[in-house]
């Protein structure tokens, strides 16, 4: 676990090949995404590392309901009982009314490359025993609810990677939490910098690309992706990088 403070109120935590974020207003904290199931202890520890107790967590916000983003949520809810919010459509995904996630066959195909084998070797232990994880308490992130949370966040619909994927903008400090709609690295990708994830992860590839281009127009100054390092927001450079995908 590595924690970096990227603005006055925002901390980005790197876990097992995935990020989550903490937004603090001094007395409360909002958790954005929650790593793999194997990251649960680190998610809890990260809250303490920035000077908060679990009881200070006002809510957990989920960009989307893949296992590498919801893994720590059940433990947080069990320990502290905070609400869990995500996009309205993604609530159905979080409750597993349907599943949009890389298939076992898709994972096996990754064994054909060295990058893929490394990724699989990290991923399988991180999800072991939790394949059927759901978020039964997930509810839609209403505008007035998000505005009252630390950071005064705004939900930005970001479909493609999953149908209900949602990004979150923090206007006061110019931070865009893009989840997996726009990332800066991934173990399966040979490049770093703004990009969409490899197609095996995206429910709708063209929709993912269109969403990434729309996110580039947001009034942000820092991009916090679900995978890869946070970077200064540079729309021209982002568009150029995405044009090659």
């Amino acid at each position: 676990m590595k924690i970096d403070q990227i603005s006055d109120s925002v901390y980005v935590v790197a876990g097992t090949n995935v990020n989550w974020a903490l937004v603090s207003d001094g007395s409360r904290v909002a958790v954005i995404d929650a790593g793999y199931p194997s990251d649960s202890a680190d998610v809890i520890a990260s809250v303490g590392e920035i000077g908060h107790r679990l009881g200070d967590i006002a809510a957990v916000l989920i960009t989307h309901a893949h296992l590498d983003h919801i893994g720590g949520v059940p433990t947080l809810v069990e320990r502290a009982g905070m609400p869990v919010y995500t996009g309205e459509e993604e609530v159905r995904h979080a409750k597993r009314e349907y599943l949009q996630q890389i298939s076992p066959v898709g994972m096996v195909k990754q064994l054909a490359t060295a990058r893929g084998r490394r990724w699989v070797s990290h991923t399988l232990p991180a999800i072991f025993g939790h394949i059927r994880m759901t978020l039964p308490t997930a509810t839609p992130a209403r505008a007035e609810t998000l505005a009252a949370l630390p950071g005064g966040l705004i939900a930005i619909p970001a479909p493609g990677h999953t149908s209900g994927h949602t990004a979150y903008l923090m206007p006061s400090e110019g931070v865009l939490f893009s989840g997996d709609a726009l990332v800066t690295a991934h173990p399966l990708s040979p490049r770093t910098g703004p990009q969409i994830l490899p197609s095996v992860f995206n429910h709708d590839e063209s929709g993912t690309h269109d969403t990434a281009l729309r996110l580039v127009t947001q009034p942000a100054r820092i991009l916090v992706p679900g995978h890869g390092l946070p970077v200064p927001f540079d729309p021209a450079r982002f568009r150029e990088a995405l044009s090659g995908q």
Side-chain angles (χ1 to χ4, degrees), residues 66-125:
H66 283 166
L67 284 175
D68 56 335
H69 292 259
I70 68 171
V73 175
T75 300
L76 287 173
V77 171
E78 180 182 356
R79 295 275 299 273
M82 73 290 294
V84 178
Y85 300 117
T86 190
E88 185 164 7
E89 178 59 32
E90 199 68 8
V91 169
R92 296 180 59 226
H93 190 207
K95 294 181 178 181
R96 293 303 187 249
E97 295 179 19
Y98 60 84
L99 182 62
Q100 296 175 341
Q101 189 162 276
I102 186 172
S103 67
V105 171
M107 290 195 72
V108 168
K109 288 181 178 179
Q110 305 314 309
L111 298 175
T113 68
R115 286 182 180 276
R117 288 189 292 273
R118 284 194 297 271
W119 176 74
V120 170
S121 72
H122 291 155
T123 301
L124 289 180

Side-chain angles (χ1 to χ4, degrees), residues 56-225:
D56 297 337
I57 301 177
V60 179
L61 306 182
I62 301 299
T63 58
H64 65 294
H66 283 166
L67 284 175
D68 56 335
H69 292 259
I70 68 171
V73 175
T75 300
L76 287 173
V77 171
E78 180 182 356
R79 295 275 299 273
M82 73 290 294
V84 178
Y85 300 117
T86 190
E88 185 164 7
E89 178 59 32
E90 199 68 8
V91 169
R92 296 180 59 226
H93 190 207
K95 294 181 178 181
R96 293 303 187 249
E97 295 179 19
Y98 60 84
L99 182 62
Q100 296 175 341
Q101 189 162 276
I102 186 172
S103 67
V105 171
M107 290 195 72
V108 168
K109 288 181 178 179
Q110 305 314 309
L111 298 175
T113 68
R115 286 182 180 276
R117 288 189 292 273
R118 284 194 297 271
W119 176 74
V120 170
S121 72
H122 291 155
T123 301
L124 289 180
I127 63 175
F128 182 76
H130 298 278
I131 297 294
R132 301 185 185 278
M133 178 180 287
T134 67
L135 300 183
T137 64
T139 57
R142 306 300 185 196
E144 60 274 17
T145 301
L146 295 181
L149 292 176
L153 300 162
I154 297 173
I156 309 293
H161 182 65
T162 66
S163 295
H165 190 294
T166 301
Y168 299 97
L169 178 67
M170 182 178 172
S172 62
E173 295 180 15
V175 181
L176 178 65
F177 304 92
S178 59
D180 284 2
L182 178 61
V183 302
T184 60
H186 189 273
L188 294 187
S189 175
R191 54 190 287 260
T192 59
Q195 59 189 284
I196 62 173
L197 285 173
S199 59
V200 69
F201 296 114
N202 300 322
H203 175 67
D204 177 349
E205 180 77 356
S206 63
T208 303
H209 191 268
D210 291 345
T211 283
L213 289 174
R214 287 195 299 272
L215 289 180
V216 167
T217 68
Q218 291 297 318
R221 64 180 187 85
I222 303 172
L223 175 71
V224 176

Side-chain angles (χ1 to χ4, degrees), residues 13-27:
V13 190
T16 305
N17 292 330
V18 69
N19 302 326
W20 60 91
L22 308 172
V23 183
S24 172
D25 65 5
S27 60

